[in-house]
Amino acid sequence: MGEWGEDTLFLVVAKNQDDLEMGQAESNVIPKESWLVEPVSVAYIRTRVRMSLLRAPCKWVRASIPANEEARLVALKESCMMDVNQPEGLKRITRVARQLFDVGAACFTLLAKDHVKLISAEGLDCINIPRDAAMCAHVVSDQDFTLVADALEDDRFADNPLVQGAPYLRFYAGMPIWSKAKDGQSYIIGSFCLLDQKPREFNTEQLRSLQDLASLAREEFGAISAEAQRARCLGVSSL
């Protein structure tokens, strides 16, 4: 690799997918795996550097950005839900989910441009999580149910700071949450998920139960969103 040497770590952050593809096409020095697309957290950069110094593979795979990301973010903004915290209807559903599945936490999440917001959570603080560290980003990217039976044995998440450190996640099961936008299309704006600090199996019956609860959560989300949108039009607070 010329004067830089084979062991030199390159990390180049592009603002969007188009810039990344252009940079990869024009560069014959920087390997493709060293190109990243925003948003990129400091924690991810540190992990890549640390694993490079240890000469070990980085077992933290960032979810890809959906092709419809711009429209998806518009739909999320239109929902008026990013400023809503712990609405009672969603709290009841996440509380039932945590008890039914006997897990450490159950959450309803929304995926913003650079972070994930927990607008309803039982067993976990409602905090903002960097997007590239959030397992629910994979739900949005894959547009499907995502199961992580044991994060320490999963090459996508083993080095993730939420696995290696607090809250020490080992299990994740997340269903996509769709929201209809003003353009008439539906977009995945977040997830309804279960989390635990120990590995777990997840059978077909449990999957059906999670699908049912996610459907209830999606309906409740729609009702709260409609109320929030009406309140915004009237210039008052809905919750």
Side-chain angles (χ1 to χ4, degrees), residues 80-92:
C80 298
M81 291 294 286
M82 286 301 291
D83 294 326
V84 175
N85 290 297
Q86 294 282 62
E88 185 56 38
L90 288 178
K91 282 181 64 177
R92 285 195 295 268

Side-chain angles (χ1 to χ4, degrees), residues 137-172:
H138 289 264
V139 177
V140 175
S141 176
D142 297 341
Q143 300 188 44
D144 201 358
F145 169 67
T146 296
L147 176 65
V148 183
D150 186 351
L152 283 179
E153 298 297 326
D154 193 314
D155 287 349
R156 297 171 298 172
F157 304 109
D159 289 327
N160 189 303
L162 301 182
V163 176
Q164 291 293 327
Y168 299 98
L169 299 178
R170 296 288 295 275
F171 169 82
Y172 175 89

Side-chain angles (χ1 to χ4, degrees), residues 108-125:
F108 190 108
T109 72
L110 296 177
L111 182 65
K113 180 178 180 180
D114 59 2
H115 69 280
V116 169
K117 180 173 182 178
L118 281 62
I119 66 168
S120 179
E122 285 292 324
L124 195 65
D125 291 336

Side-chain angles (χ1 to χ4, degrees), residues 65 70 73 79 91 123 127-128 162 178 191:
I65 303 297
E70 185 175 344
L73 291 174
S79 74
K91 282 181 64 177
I127 57 174
N128 291 337
L162 301 182
W178 296 78
S191 73

Side-chain angles (χ1 to χ4, degrees), residues 93-105:
I93 299 173
T94 51
R95 185 162 55 243
V96 168
R98 185 188 182 194
Q99 295 172 350
L100 176 64
F101 292 97
D102 190 26
V103 292

